[in-house]
Amino acid sequence: MTAAVAQAPYLTWLYVPGDRPDVVAKALDSGADVVIVDLEDAVAPERKRYALDATAELLGERRRVPVHVRVNALDGPLAEAEVRRLTPLPGLDALRLPKVSGPGDVARVAGWAAHVPPLYALLESALGVENAHAVAMAHPAVAGLALGEADLRADLGVSDPAGLAWPRSRTVVAARAAGLAPPAQSVYPDIRDTEGLARSCAEGRALGFLGRTAIHPRQLPVIERAFLPTPAEVEAAHEVVGAARTEAGALSLPDGRFVDAAVVAAAHRTLALAGRASERRPRAPRSP
């Protein structure tokens, strides 16, 4: 089984264009848990070389916020050079691989890398979704799965979010089956519709997603609030963990709830997220 990379619970992942160093600098101070420098969709073809140069300069030293890079299409002319140039750099925390359709795509990237960093595979086609578990197990460096829902909608020919219900659940199940962290939700494209974003996050959380990618700092606090546990959930988790300390094996709480190892593990995750909320100082999002 692929081992998940140990990390603090990440809830907010902010995409920024790789050809805008000024925007990247602001993103690093935005409050996002992870900054994703995008060399793919956010960069015009004539700006690709500059984006790579600027990103390589950024990654020449480690940053206080984890920096991931989404490279260009793996079957195109740019990705191999990007992977070979960026993977030796000390500031790269992970690569995000677009349009992964099968385990061979992951293996190809690992073969290009000087040092294989954590890899996040983006499933953006019907074939990618079908191969989700095989992709998750393709290499020990695979740290997570994610959906690229815009391209997936186009590939499936669906316009209603209901058409993505099965791919979303499939991705959550495949990640869990491979021992990976729960995937983060795909971006919500309307940066002004914070109420819609909150509703969508609640739906994603109910499906098993943890956190969400964003395209603007104003989305970050909405995402964080949506995925942090409620006071009632924290209280219930404390009760479960407390009971598990006093009795071994499966047990039943006074209110009739059955508790086994999986329930205890879920309670620990809840408390880890609650601890994250108390440790983070409030930061006002800054617009890039």
Side-chain angles (χ1 to χ4, degrees):
M1 179 177 292
T2 303
V5 175
Q7 61 180 39
Y10 292 154
L11 295 183
T12 53
W13 316 62
L14 180 61
Y15 272 104
V16 286
D19 64 338
R20 294 287 306 280
D22 56 328
V23 174
V24 175
K26 292 179 180 179
L28 291 168
D29 196 35
S30 67
D33 292 329
V34 179
V35 170
I36 305 172
V37 179
D38 190 12
L39 302 181
E40 192 203 18
D41 290 344
V43 179
E46 66 274 12
R47 300 272 291 175
K48 298 285 189 182
R49 173 64 67 88
Y50 173 71
L52 177 57
D53 290 342
T55 301
E57 182 176 353
L58 170 77
L59 300 179
E61 60 182 86
R62 292 198 61 81
R63 305 288 168 169
R64 65 180 183 84
V65 177
V67 177
H68 295 191
V69 175
R70 179 166 74 171
V71 297
N72 278 284
L74 305 182
D75 59 356
L78 302 176
E80 180 176 357
E82 291 167 349
V83 171
R84 291 188 183 280
R85 183 169 179 187
L86 298 180
T87 50
L89 300 177
L92 178 69
D93 290 282
L95 288 176
R96 296 180 77 84
L97 313 181
K99 301 176 178 61
V100 172
S101 61
D105 291 332
V106 177
R108 187 182 318 127
V109 171
W112 294 336
H115 305 285
V116 185
L119 304 174
Y120 288 79
L122 307 184
L123 311 177
E124 305 183 65
S125 66
L127 183 57
V129 173
E130 282 293 308
N131 289 328
H133 184 254
V135 168
M137 299 291 290
H139 192 279
V142 174
L145 300 178
L147 283 179
E149 292 190 356
D151 283 352
L152 183 59
R153 283 174 185 265
D155 190 45
L156 297 177
V158 301
S159 56
D160 192 298
L164 295 180
W166 186 83
R168 288 168 175 168
S169 291
R170 168 63 174 158
T171 304
V172 170
V173 171
R176 176 59 183 162
L180 302 179
Q185 273 186 281
S186 184
V187 299
Y188 189 81
D190 188 342
I191 63 173
R192 293 180 176 84
D193 182 15
T194 54
E195 292 183 0
L197 171 61
R199 288 193 300 271
S200 178
C201 288
E203 293 166 0
R205 184 181 179 190
L207 287 175
F209 288 95
L210 180 64
R212 189 163 201 163
T213 52
I215 53 175
H216 195 281
R218 74 177 57 167
Q219 296 178 314
L220 301 178
V222 179
I223 293 169
E224 184 163 29
R225 283 195 301 270
F227 284 96
L228 286 174
T230 65
E233 289 169 334
V234 174
E235 182 180 356
H238 276 299
E239 186 176 4
V240 167
V241 171
R245 289 196 189 104
T246 59
E247 296 185 45
L251 56 106
S252 179
L253 297 179
D255 62 5
R257 281 179 294 154
F258 179 76
V259 175
D260 62 8
V263 174
V264 174
H268 280 293
R269 288 194 297 271
T270 296
L271 296 180
L273 283 171
R276 157 208 165 94
S278 64
E279 291 169 5
R280 286 166 62 91
R281 71 181 191 277
R283 282 179 287 183
R286 294 172 54 186
S287 298

